[in-house]
Amino acid sequence: MPEYGAAARRYAQAVLDMAKGAGTLDQWKADLDTLNNLFGNAETVSILEDPKLTHANETKIIDDLFAAEKVSPMAMNFLRLLAQRRRLSLLPRIVEVFGEMYNKEKGIVIAYVTTAIPLDEAHQKRVADQLAKRTGKTVVIRANTDPSILGGIITHIGDELIDASVATRLSELAEKLT
């Protein structure tokens, strides 16, 4: 399995390098998301990677699936290359790795935020703005709820943990009192 991760990373890096060189980074991000939505499932992969499928039929299936979609010719060629090399099963991981590289290139970090109750959009924006001030980067919030924290907020950004939950504060207070 590790070799699949390395292969996906190499494909993602190649696409990133090509996209940066051509100034089409945002277009590639959108195209890869579209490709993944259409071809990133096991059923489609098994059809396109069937050894009995001829190259002409493979190309026809890909073209038919893209009839209503708008992606760049380069992205179409990339998909055809993956199918031809029987590497289409790597597409979801390639898209994931490319997304990480894209975020790094654009100065975007993902903040996993846990609260006791769901945050509305206004609160999410306030949290994102505060975290952006702290990190100096654009912050995208991935919100989660966990009533066991009682209140407050727990935030994970990369390796950093910011635990400002009521449950943790009560636990710390209990330790000090004993």
Side-chain angles (χ1 to χ4, degrees), residues 58-85:
E58 180 181 276
T59 301
K60 183 178 178 356
I61 290 170
I62 290 171
D63 291 344
D64 288 349
L65 283 171
F66 271 112
E69 299 296 328
K70 299 286 185 221
V71 296
S72 69
M74 292 292 289
M76 288 285 292
N77 289 340
F78 178 66
L79 182 72
R80 287 186 185 110
L81 174 76
L82 290 176
Q84 182 181 15
R85 292 184 176 177

Side-chain angles (χ1 to χ4, degrees), residues 16-134:
L16 183 80
D17 292 344
M18 183 175 48
K20 281 173 47 178
T24 57
L25 201 55
D26 293 332
Q27 178 64 47
W28 268 100
K29 174 80 169 98
D31 286 349
L32 285 175
D33 288 341
T34 300
L35 292 178
N36 197 35
N37 288 337
L38 290 173
F39 297 95
N41 62 64
E43 184 178 327
T44 306
V45 169
S46 67
I47 290 169
L48 288 171
E49 290 188 350
D50 183 352
K52 295 179 235 164
L53 188 66
T54 66
H55 182 65
N57 286 339
E58 180 181 276
T59 301
K60 183 178 178 356
I61 290 170
I62 290 171
D63 291 344
D64 288 349
L65 283 171
F66 271 112
E69 299 296 328
K70 299 286 185 221
V71 296
S72 69
M74 292 292 289
M76 288 285 292
N77 289 340
F78 178 66
L79 182 72
R80 287 186 185 110
L81 174 76
L82 290 176
Q84 182 181 15
R85 292 184 176 177
R86 306 288 186 229
R87 295 292 212 164
L88 201 54
S89 60
L90 293 176
L91 186 59
R93 181 71 180 131
I94 293 168
V95 173
E96 179 184 342
V97 172
F98 181 85
E100 292 167 2
M101 293 173 175
Y102 174 88
N103 286 347
K104 186 174 181 181
E105 190 70 28
K106 292 286 191 170
I108 299 170
V109 293
I110 307 296
Y112 297 92
V113 173
T114 303
T115 55
I117 58 172
L119 294 176
D120 61 19
E121 283 189 41
H123 282 100
Q124 283 189 29
K125 180 166 178 15
R126 276 191 17 218
V127 169
D129 290 345
Q130 289 296 319
L131 292 170
K133 286 179 188 174
R134 182 178 178 142

